[in-house]
Amino acid sequence: MLELRLVQGSLLKKVLESIKELVNDANFDCSSTGFSLQAMDSSHVALVALLLRSEGFEHYRCDRNLSMGMNLNNMAKMLKCAGNDDIITIKADDGSDTVTFMFESPTQDKISDFEMKLMDIDSEHLGIPEAEYDAIVRMPSAEFARICKDLSSIGDTVVISVTKEGVKFSTKGDIGAANIVCRQNTTVDKPDDATVIEMKEPVSLQFALRYMNSFTKATPLSSTVTISLSNELPVVVEYKIAEMGYVRFYLAPKIEEDDEETKPEV
Amino acid sequence: MLELRLVQGSLLKKVLESIKELVNDANFDCSSTGFSLQAMDSSHVALVALLLRSEGFEHYRCDRNLSMGMNLNNMAKMLKCAGNDDIITIKADDGSDTVTFMFESPTQDKISDFEMKLMDIDSEHLGIPEAEYDAIVRMPSAEFARICKDLSSIGDTVVISVTKEGVKFSTKGDIGAANIVCRQNTTVDKPDDATVIEMKEPVSLQFALRYMNSFTKATPLSSTVTISLSNELPVVVEYKIAEMGYVRFYLAPKIEEDDEETKPEV
Amino acid sequence: MLELRLVQGSLLKKVLESIKELVNDANFDCSSTGFSLQAMDSSHVALVALLLRSEGFEHYRCDRNLSMGMNLNNMAKMLKCAGNDDIITIKADDGSDTVTFMFESPTQDKISDFEMKLMDIDSEHLGIPEAEYDAIVRMPSAEFARICKDLSSIGDTVVISVTKEGVKFSTKGDIGAANIVCRQNTTVDKPDDATVIEMKEPVSLQFALRYMNSFTKATPLSSTVTISLSNELPVVVEYKIAEMGYVRFYLAPKIEEDDEETKPEV
């Protein structure tokens, strides 16, 4: 039996909104340590990894490891019916082919339960090795989202270049070219407004803006985003979920200046 | 001659927005007691009844009973041109084939008059007998609107079940099933936030969500909605208009679990 | 070499938003006195004239007169990438076929440069003679925009009639007719809320609402609009840009009550 009670139910709503554009169907994996998901996007280019640790739930009961295949659009439809202040409980009986989402309003005057059919989904769980990165940029997530959106009005790809001074986002298109430089600035009023760069050596890598823009759907989850870059690895775009875990997106760089997208080697 | 002056003109704007989706053309009936409308929706399934009592108008002159056929979409277009703080006056000369809507800004610096052609509309005025209902639910109108909208993302029909403890809204669809229970709660801070149930015997009736969602267009008219249910009668969904009257929607229950809509027997 | 630094960069964003619907491609003319544009709309019915005087820029360097052909939609796309509080600098080298827009965030932590290709555009610069007008109406720009939008839901053309008492906007259409009268009111709390009429003789002229609605895209530039009318001249709809200049729109009256649009004789 599975029963996971999350007081800040809006987190789960935001998680679904952040990944449902990339992934149609996926297995959610429950174990004693947490509630997680790992899935390739539907064109098999980007990888999504979600973790919500058991400690973050008010109540977490998972008697045995369980993998539940869900259609993320349908799940998002149901979670949209939860109020932003509702407590959400995820329930499943052993061997059941359904999962139930229960929403309790803060006053307990309104109780909803939404039952969804589970699916059988074939998936291989990829091992994602821990890696050392040449450069790690932490910056305000809204700023990163704005930059990806702005550059999309000019071109299709973004070159992310990191030096000690800052991070540069560049693109080119039919109507012209654009460079946006964010300087390292650690002396800001609010820590979350800082742009912080940890760098071993300069990197300059090119990515499809379409995917970057999908990743930024996770912006409501966290006020900062961390971008980890290495010449031989997929970029990791990470949104931390306060005290619970993270949503991470992996995307392989584009090797050449053509429009072919290469698959990530994770 | 007809001259009806309504200081809170935004009420009339909201009334039109609440019924124009259901009804295309209808007769507005003016008498010494008030300004009213009764009309079936265009598919002849739901019935709308509006009453604005003469006492609610600042000035109310209606020399003889008058029935004015109007296209509600065109009327709504004109009323949209009134500011939210404008005073609205409805004027018609005896025997005229036009009606004039006059809008006065609060400062009297802007005066608009919109003249609309009247139409000949055949309509039979149905007598709606006063009835006793098995169960009457009063609840916040925004909550009812939210529930109808949420359930529409799962299914096409809603079963409304009333017991002494509360009211349950249920639906089923391809992706799953949903139940939303609102408990009777009379000890709330604001009286309009209460859910109050008057019940003689439990009822459980099924309705098309499409119509329920149309009815909730009247939500801006009132902070509460009253739902009156009986096993042998159409449901009445009523939005009171403060100190003036009401908009009431009547809809016959669906008898069987198929998709055929039955006509109300009012 | 050209280098124009505008601290209130949002002004330039608003200018582009106000004219890009009317004009596709146009030459921006730079001289020691200012940055200007004059262009017919794509159907050659309305004329747009923009002036940003050199005094309004924090830094203004224009070594020799320069005419830069730009696609206004592309320019608007790039300016949309500037933050509302950004400083915008327009740069061009002599003989270059590109122009660069540089955006600096208030904290200087984010610097963007957008390079756009210039175009060769044939254009004749029309002399617009200074004229005396029969009637000049100054009114709140939001009110004028609201009136044009409201009347568009009823008809295609607007008759603007000015008397000493006020200005009347009238239209007619299939569903009826509308008159909106704004009285002269100079005793208001805020000067920008006033409707002020300077009149030599009454005028009554008819215009296409489609163009009037396009002109009102300039509403965010100024809280007031000035409408200058004469029987034998195109109307001038002017939005002043504080301490810098203006955007002016010229449109010839419709002579007859048919749907043909006559070209302005400016």
Side-chain angles (χ1 to χ4, degrees):
Chain A
M1 188 188 162
L2 177 86
E3 199 172 290
L4 319 182
R5 182 176 162 91
L6 183 63
V7 174
Q8 202 181 339
S10 59
L11 272 187
L12 198 61
K13 297 179 69 168
K14 289 177 191 167
V15 163
L16 261 288
E17 291 305 310
S18 77
I19 62 179
K20 74 165 198 208
E21 185 178 295
L22 277 174
V23 180
N24 294 332
D25 303 315
N27 285 314
F28 282 85
D29 299 309
C30 295
S31 71
S32 56
T33 55
F35 188 70
S36 65
L37 170 149
Q38 196 198 80
M40 297 296 289
D41 84 290
S42 43
S43 54
H44 276 252
V45 173
L47 178 78
V48 181
L50 158 74
L51 174 63
L52 298 174
R53 284 185 210 96
S54 54
E55 303 93 83
F57 291 82
E58 195 205 25
H59 172 75
Y60 192 96
R61 176 178 171 183
C62 176
D63 296 346
R64 57 185 189 80
N65 288 3
L66 202 59
S67 187
M68 297 185 292
M70 305 199 201
N71 176 287
L72 268 59
N73 252 311
N74 292 347
M75 184 177 172
K77 270 186 196 171
M78 291 189 167
L79 292 179
K80 268 192 182 166
C81 301
N84 281 327
D85 300 322
D86 283 5
I87 298 165
I88 297 183
T89 303
I90 305 172
K91 290 183 195 178
D93 287 323
D94 289 338
S96 169
D97 62 348
T98 62
V99 61
T100 297
F101 305 104
M102 190 176 79
F103 313 140
E104 299 163 66
S105 71
T107 59
Q108 297 289 327
D109 285 330
K110 182 180 172 191
I111 311 282
S112 311
D113 53 272
F114 284 73
E115 192 182 74
M116 190 174 80
K117 287 167 195 151
L118 295 176
M119 314 165 68
D120 278 322
I121 299 170
D122 282 333
S123 72
E124 39 174 344
H125 202 283
L126 304 164
I128 304 174
E130 285 291 315
E132 297 275 308
Y133 286 92
D134 293 336
I136 300 176
V137 178
R138 181 164 71 76
M139 63 188 293
S141 60
E143 189 64 85
F144 178 62
R146 171 82 199 256
I147 289 169
C148 291
K149 182 170 155 284
D150 282 347
L151 293 185
S152 303
S153 67
I154 312 292
D156 296 324
T157 59
V158 56
V159 176
I160 306 181
S161 310
V162 186
T163 63
K164 286 214 160 118
E165 285 71 38
V167 52
K168 183 168 78 171
F169 303 88
S170 308
T171 194
K172 256 186 235 175
D174 291 341
I175 71 169
N179 295 297
I180 300 175
V181 175
C182 295
R183 294 186 192 159
Q184 170 145 232
N185 63 340
T186 51
T187 57
V188 288
D189 290 347
K190 285 182 273 176
D192 284 357
D193 288 348
T195 297
V196 182
I197 292 166
E198 287 174 44
M199 199 192 82
K200 283 186 204 147
E201 53 181 312
V203 288
S204 184
L205 294 164
Q206 187 175 11
F207 303 98
L209 273 168
R210 190 162 72 83
Y211 287 98
M212 287 290 168
N213 272 310
S214 277
F215 301 166
T216 63
K217 300 283 181 200
T219 303
L221 277 170
S222 176
S223 57
T224 63
V225 60
T226 305
I227 306 162
S228 303
L229 298 140
S230 264
N231 271 313
E232 282 150 40
L233 292 172
V235 63
V236 188
V237 178
E238 182 185 48
Y239 295 85
K240 288 212 192 306
I241 302 169
E243 293 158 39
M244 288 207 71
Y246 54 76
V247 174
R248 289 183 187 149
F249 301 98
Y250 297 81
L251 178 66
K254 299 182 74 154
I255 307 300
E256 303 179 42
E257 287 245 288
D258 56 28
D259 277 325
E260 278 183 29
E261 271 141 9
T262 53
K263 298 195 178 181
E265 297 167 5
V266 284
Chain B
M1 189 190 160
L2 177 86
E3 198 172 290
L4 318 180
R5 183 176 161 92
L6 184 63
V7 174
Q8 202 180 339
S10 59
L11 274 187
L12 197 62
K13 297 179 68 167
K14 288 178 191 166
V15 164
L16 259 288
E17 292 305 310
S18 76
I19 61 179
K20 71 164 200 208
E21 187 178 293
L22 277 174
V23 181
N24 295 332
D25 303 315
N27 285 315
F28 282 85
D29 299 309
C30 296
S31 72
S32 57
T33 54
F35 188 71
S36 65
L37 170 148
Q38 196 198 79
M40 298 296 290
D41 85 289
S42 42
S43 52
H44 277 250
V45 173
L47 178 78
V48 181
L50 159 74
L51 174 63
L52 298 174
R53 286 186 209 95
S54 54
E55 305 93 82
F57 291 83
E58 195 204 25
H59 172 76
Y60 192 96
R61 174 178 174 184
C62 177
D63 296 345
R64 57 185 189 83
N65 288 3
L66 201 60
S67 187
M68 297 185 290
M70 305 199 202
N71 176 288
L72 268 59
N73 252 312
N74 292 347
M75 184 178 171
K77 271 185 196 172
M78 290 188 168
L79 292 179
K80 268 192 182 165
C81 301
N84 281 326
D85 300 322
D86 282 5
I87 298 165
I88 297 184
T89 304
I90 305 172
K91 290 183 196 178
D93 287 324
D94 288 339
S96 169
D97 62 348
T98 63
V99 61
T100 297
F101 305 104
M102 191 176 78
F103 313 139
E104 298 164 67
S105 71
T107 59
Q108 298 288 328
D109 285 330
K110 182 181 172 190
I111 311 284
S112 311
D113 54 90
F114 284 72
E115 192 182 74
M116 191 173 80
K117 288 167 196 152
L118 294 175
M119 314 165 67
D120 279 322
I121 299 170
D122 282 334
S123 72
E124 37 173 347
H125 201 282
L126 304 164
I128 304 174
E130 285 292 312
E132 297 276 307
Y133 287 92
D134 293 337
I136 298 176
V137 178
R138 181 165 69 76
M139 63 187 294
S141 60
E143 189 64 84
F144 178 63
R146 172 80 199 258
I147 289 168
C148 292
K149 182 171 157 282
D150 282 348
L151 293 185
S152 303
S153 66
I154 312 293
D156 296 325
T157 60
V158 57
V159 176
I160 305 182
S161 310
V162 185
T163 63
K164 286 217 160 113
E165 286 71 38
V167 52
K168 183 168 79 171
F169 302 89
S170 309
T171 194
K172 255 186 235 175
D174 292 340
I175 70 168
N179 295 296
I180 301 176
V181 175
C182 295
R183 294 186 191 157
Q184 170 146 231
N185 63 341
T186 51
T187 56
V188 288
D189 291 346
K190 286 181 272 176
D192 284 357
D193 288 347
T195 297
V196 182
I197 291 166
E198 285 175 45
M199 200 193 82
K200 284 186 203 147
E201 53 181 311
V203 288
S204 183
L205 293 164
Q206 187 174 11
F207 303 98
L209 272 168
R210 190 162 73 83
Y211 287 98
M212 287 290 169
N213 273 311
S214 277
F215 301 166
T216 63
K217 300 284 180 197
T219 303
L221 276 170
S222 175
S223 56
T224 63
V225 61
T226 304
I227 306 162
S228 303
L229 298 139
S230 264
N231 271 313
E232 282 150 40
L233 290 172
V235 63
V236 188
V237 178
E238 181 186 49
Y239 295 84
K240 288 211 193 310
I241 302 170
E243 292 157 40
M244 288 207 71
Y246 54 76
V247 175
R248 289 183 188 148
F249 302 98
Y250 297 81
L251 178 66
K254 299 182 74 153
I255 306 302
E256 303 180 40
E257 287 246 286
D258 57 27
D259 277 326
E260 277 183 29
E261 271 140 11
T262 54
K263 297 193 179 180
E265 295 166 7
V266 283
Chain C
M1 190 189 160
L2 177 86
E3 199 173 292
L4 318 182
R5 183 176 162 92
L6 184 63
V7 173
Q8 203 181 339
S10 58
L11 272 187
L12 198 62
K13 296 179 70 168
K14 289 177 191 166
V15 164
L16 260 289
E17 291 306 309
S18 76
I19 61 179
K20 73 165 200 210
E21 187 177 294
L22 277 174
V23 181
N24 294 332
D25 302 315
N27 285 316
F28 283 86
D29 299 309
C30 296
S31 72
S32 56
T33 56
F35 187 70
S36 64
L37 169 148
Q38 195 198 79
M40 297 298 288
D41 84 289
S42 42
S43 53
H44 277 251
V45 173
L47 178 78
V48 181
L50 158 74
L51 174 63
L52 298 174
R53 284 186 211 95
S54 55
E55 305 93 82
F57 291 83
E58 195 204 24
H59 172 75
Y60 192 96
R61 175 177 172 184
C62 178
D63 296 345
R64 58 187 189 82
N65 288 3
L66 202 61
S67 186
M68 297 185 291
M70 304 198 202
N71 176 286
L72 268 59
N73 252 311
N74 292 347
M75 185 177 170
K77 271 186 195 171
M78 290 189 167
L79 291 179
K80 268 193 182 163
C81 301
N84 281 327
D85 299 322
D86 283 4
I87 298 165
I88 298 184
T89 304
I90 305 172
K91 291 183 196 178
D93 287 323
D94 288 339
S96 169
D97 62 348
T98 63
V99 61
T100 297
F101 305 104
M102 190 175 80
F103 313 140
E104 299 163 67
S105 71
T107 58
Q108 298 289 326
D109 284 330
K110 182 181 172 190
I111 311 284
S112 310
D113 54 89
F114 284 72
E115 192 182 76
M116 190 173 80
K117 287 167 195 152
L118 294 175
M119 312 165 68
D120 278 321
I121 299 170
D122 283 333
S123 72
E124 37 174 346
H125 201 281
L126 304 165
I128 304 173
E130 285 291 314
E132 297 276 307
Y133 287 92
D134 292 338
I136 299 176
V137 177
R138 181 164 70 76
M139 63 187 294
S141 59
E143 189 63 84
F144 178 64
R146 173 82 199 257
I147 289 169
C148 291
K149 181 170 157 284
D150 281 349
L151 294 185
S152 303
S153 66
I154 312 294
D156 296 325
T157 60
V158 57
V159 176
I160 305 181
S161 311
V162 186
T163 64
K164 285 215 163 119
E165 286 70 39
V167 52
K168 183 167 78 170
F169 302 88
S170 309
T171 194
K172 254 186 238 174
D174 291 340
I175 71 169
N179 294 297
I180 300 175
V181 175
C182 295
R183 293 188 192 155
Q184 169 146 235
N185 64 341
T186 51
T187 56
V188 288
D189 291 348
K190 285 181 273 175
D192 284 357
D193 287 348
T195 297
V196 183
I197 292 166
E198 286 173 45
M199 200 192 81
K200 282 185 206 150
E201 53 182 311
V203 288
S204 184
L205 293 164
Q206 186 175 12
F207 303 98
L209 273 167
R210 190 163 71 84
Y211 287 98
M212 287 289 169
N213 272 310
S214 277
F215 301 166
T216 63
K217 300 282 180 199
T219 304
L221 276 171
S222 176
S223 56
T224 64
V225 62
T226 305
I227 306 162
S228 303
L229 299 139
S230 264
N231 271 314
E232 283 149 41
L233 290 172
V235 62
V236 188
V237 179
E238 181 185 50
Y239 295 85
K240 288 212 193 308
I241 303 169
E243 293 158 40
M244 288 207 70
Y246 54 77
V247 175
R248 288 183 188 149
F249 301 98
Y250 297 82
L251 178 66
K254 298 182 75 154
I255 307 301
E256 304 178 42
E257 287 246 287
D258 57 27
D259 277 324
E260 278 183 29
E261 271 140 10
T262 54
K263 296 194 178 182
E265 297 166 6
V266 285

